[in-house]
């Protein structure tokens, strides 16, 4: 368990599944998220992850998938300020370093300027642009909105990569 005041960061356990399911449905509309780079629909509730807690309340959730020494960040949500997202990400990166992980990848959409800023400040680098990828994602999950943050049309996927050392 990693502790960064005032939050505690811990790995998900099987006992967390109902809360993880509830949070994913609330934040993402379902436990399945579309991740074309990961092959389509991914059940984020079945993945390993981390919880941020404060005073017994969940302050954030992160899920990821590993293949060999690479990991893909699938979901991350901070329900409070003060470094929750950064703490969740740091917990995952520290764990990857301890277990021999070498690379962490995340994909976001073109409208999500807050995420792009967050990931780049955390040490991720732009790696790929998939133009019009969201049209394919909408065929899989039709509920994806046309407009996102700040009224920006959601069209493209942007992949970012962090080399974990």
């Amino acid at each position: 368990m990693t502790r960064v005041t005032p939050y505690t960061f811990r790995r998900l356990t099987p006992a967390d599944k109902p809360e993880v399911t509830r949070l994913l449905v609330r934040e993402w509309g379902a436990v399945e998220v579309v991740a074309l780079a990961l092959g389509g629909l991914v059940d984020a509730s079945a993945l390993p992850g981390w919880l941020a807690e404060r005073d017994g309340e969940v302050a954030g959730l992160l899920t990821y998938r590993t293949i060999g020494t690479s990991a893909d960040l699938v979901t991350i949500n901070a329900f409070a300020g003060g470094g929750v997202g950064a703490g969740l990400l740091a917990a995952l990166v520290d764990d990857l370093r301890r277990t021999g992980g070498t690379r962490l990848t995340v994909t976001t959409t073109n409208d999500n300027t807050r995420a792009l800023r967050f990931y780049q400040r955390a040490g991720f680098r732009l790696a790929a642009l998939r133009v019009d990828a969201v049209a394919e994602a909408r065929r899989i999950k039709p509920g994806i909105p046309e407009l996102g943050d700040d009224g920006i049309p959601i069209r493209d996927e942007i992949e970012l990569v962090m080399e974990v050392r």
Side-chain angles (χ1 to χ4, degrees), residues 103-116:
R103 182 180 177 106
L104 178 59
T105 302
V106 65
T107 300
T108 191
T109 51
N110 63 285
D111 68 300
N112 199 342
T113 57
R114 289 183 66 211
L116 288 166

Side-chain angles (χ1 to χ4, degrees), residues 45-161:
S45 73
L47 297 174
W50 290 83
L51 275 180
E53 297 173 311
R54 178 174 61 187
D55 300 327
E57 297 294 322
V58 175
L61 169 67
L62 175 150
T63 63
Y64 68 99
R65 168 185 102 155
T66 57
I67 297 178
T69 61
S70 294
D72 298 296
L73 178 57
V74 177
T75 67
I76 184 170
N77 292 95
F79 311 122
V84 173
L88 286 166
L89 185 58
L92 174 58
V93 169
D94 288 347
D95 190 54
L96 290 172
R97 285 185 180 123
R98 276 193 303 276
T99 59
T102 60
R103 182 180 177 106
L104 178 59
T105 302
V106 65
T107 300
T108 191
T109 51
N110 63 285
D111 68 300
N112 199 342
T113 57
R114 289 183 66 211
L116 288 166
R117 182 176 60 243
F118 171 77
Y119 293 129
Q120 290 179 84
R121 289 173 79 181
F124 285 84
R125 297 190 61 161
L126 299 175
L129 170 66
R130 289 186 281 281
V131 175
D132 293 326
V134 180
E136 174 63 23
R138 280 193 190 95
R139 283 192 275 284
I140 298 168
K141 190 173 180 183
I144 298 171
E146 295 289 328
L147 293 177
D149 296 346
D150 302 315
I152 298 171
I154 305 172
R155 297 183 183 125
D156 311 314
E157 287 185 344
I158 300 168
E159 183 177 293
L160 298 97
V161 174

Side-chain angles (χ1 to χ4, degrees), residues 5-60:
T5 306
Y7 302 104
T8 300
F9 300 90
R10 66 170 179 82
R11 290 178 169 281
L12 294 177
T13 68
D16 295 317
K17 176 102 177 186
E19 180 69 359
V20 168
T21 297
R22 185 185 73 74
L23 292 169
L24 289 168
V25 169
R26 184 183 82 194
E27 298 297 316
W28 297 87
V31 295
E32 298 89 8
V33 295
V34 178
L36 296 178
L38 305 181
L41 276 180
V42 175
D43 180 352
S45 73
L47 297 174
W50 290 83
L51 275 180
E53 297 173 311
R54 178 174 61 187
D55 300 327
E57 297 294 322
V58 175

